[in-house]
Amino acid sequence: MTKQNEYMLVKRILCCRLCSYSNKTKLEKIDVIFDSCDANTSGKLDTHQVRYALEALGWYFGIMDMNQMMEIPLARSDFHQLVEDIDASGLNREMPAVPHARRGISLKQLKAVHAGLLGTKWLSSRCKEFNLDHQAEILNEGLHNLDENPDLYSMDKLFVMQTTSCEAKARDTIPKEVLNAADVPGVPEANCSFAQLLNPEGLDVDYFVSHFWGHPFEQTMKALTKFSEGVYKNIGKDSPDEIVFWICLFSVNQHQKATEVGSS
């Protein structure tokens, strides 16, 4: 294993690749959602999987509500019927949450983020500014120092949380030229993951990335780029830029990470 990849285990996601989501019929999209949430490929959805599947359709229920209104687990036909019943009830839909398994970000998009944050030197400057502004709290260990060689912690605190917020003013600290260089879309109608912000219908994920948030993003990009250049032809891609990764910083809705992945 190379030095660049010592800290990173990149694994092929063990699931069947899905066809283009945007070209599917309503029922086919429901089936894509079912398959995306059926993490153990059992053919049935448990309580949490049903919850995520319904959120992908814009319906948000608590666990207790779901246990009272349906018998779990649900097979595919049962899920079809459930969706039909909820739809017929006229229940309002909110912004759908892309299923976790489809919250991918392409290497091309990652390169744009790199150009916007590191290429402009904006993020390193903001880290330095943050450390100076909060020097007392950092010395008293009330806050963590942000590395001026930006890592994923600083990206989350100064960029991801702001761009994925439904509050437009949350972006006030980020210059327009940075947002443009990073190719960041407009303000979402609800808080979401960065992957969903970039890809509202989700992407077919090629690889899951396990890594340490404290490593510099520059090193992460070098490792992912080198890896993509070595595998893209093997999985039928025309370019390394087409490789799609699942990376927790971008794939988890950081506004509700305790709900999505737990608080430990």
Side-chain angles (χ1 to χ4, degrees):
M1 185 177 292
T2 66
K3 184 176 181 181
Q4 286 182 344
N5 286 325
E6 282 180 354
Y7 68 92
M8 185 179 298
L9 176 61
V10 185
K11 300 179 291 185
R12 187 81 166 112
I13 284 188
L14 300 178
C15 63
C16 295
R17 291 187 54 78
L18 303 171
C19 298
S20 176
Y21 185 76
S22 60
N23 294 328
K24 291 183 176 293
T25 66
K26 179 179 178 181
L27 183 59
E28 287 173 333
K29 287 184 177 181
I30 292 173
D31 280 335
V32 169
I33 290 171
F34 183 94
D35 292 334
S36 297
C37 295
D38 182 16
N40 58 356
T41 63
S42 66
K44 295 184 178 181
L45 302 183
D46 64 24
T47 303
H48 293 284
Q49 292 168 342
V50 171
R51 178 184 178 185
Y52 294 139
L54 292 177
E55 288 179 356
L57 292 165
W59 292 313
Y60 292 78
F61 295 95
I63 296 296
M64 293 186 64
D65 292 333
M66 290 195 305
N67 286 333
Q68 292 174 359
M69 65 186 286
M70 66 191 78
E71 291 188 11
I72 304 293
L74 290 184
R76 187 182 303 272
S77 59
D78 298 323
F79 183 66
H80 286 172
Q81 186 61 54
L82 175 64
V83 171
E84 185 178 328
D85 291 343
I86 296 176
D87 204 16
S89 74
L91 183 66
N92 289 333
R93 294 179 189 250
E94 300 177 40
M95 186 179 86
V98 171
H100 290 72
R102 291 183 56 79
R103 295 185 192 174
I105 181 169
S106 70
L107 182 64
K108 180 179 180 180
Q109 292 172 325
L110 287 169
K111 287 180 177 179
V113 172
H114 177 273
L117 304 192
L118 275 61
T120 63
K121 301 188 183 302
W122 170 79
L123 186 55
S124 58
S125 175
R126 279 288 291 126
C127 288
K128 183 176 182 179
E129 180 182 331
F130 177 90
N131 293 337
L132 289 173
D133 290 345
H134 299 87
Q135 191 170 23
E137 295 100 318
I138 292 171
L139 288 173
N140 293 326
E141 299 185 348
L143 286 176
H144 291 292
N145 182 74
L146 295 183
D147 196 326
E148 292 176 26
N149 187 3
D151 55 25
L152 272 64
Y153 288 112
S154 57
M155 291 175 66
D156 179 43
K157 192 174 191 66
L158 302 175
F159 177 75
V160 171
M161 290 293 290
Q162 288 79 359
T163 54
T164 56
S165 172
C166 61
E167 298 290 337
K169 63 182 180 181
R171 300 185 176 200
D172 287 351
T173 56
I174 307 176
K176 288 185 178 179
E177 53 267 32
V178 171
L179 294 172
N180 291 337
D183 203 16
V184 177
V187 177
E189 63 180 82
N191 295 344
C192 64
S193 68
F194 190 76
Q196 175 161 348
L197 179 69
L198 266 56
N199 308 300
E201 292 188 340
L203 293 177
D204 298 339
V205 174
D206 296 307
Y207 295 94
F208 173 91
V209 181
S210 177
H211 60 101
F212 171 47
W213 276 35
H215 280 282
F217 185 54
E218 183 72 43
Q219 290 185 14
T220 300
M221 284 302 303
K222 287 180 179 179
L224 292 179
T225 299
K226 184 174 182 179
F227 177 82
S228 298
E229 290 171 350
V231 301
Y232 78 95
K233 291 181 180 179
N234 296 335
I235 63 171
K237 297 295 180 80
D238 294 327
S239 163
D241 285 351
E242 295 179 4
I243 298 291
V244 177
F245 296 102
W246 197 102
I247 302 173
C248 55
L249 171 63
F250 304 117
S251 300
V252 172
N253 182 343
Q254 299 300 330
H255 300 274
Q256 54 184 46
K257 56 190 173 186
T259 300
E260 293 200 347
V261 298
S263 57
S264 60

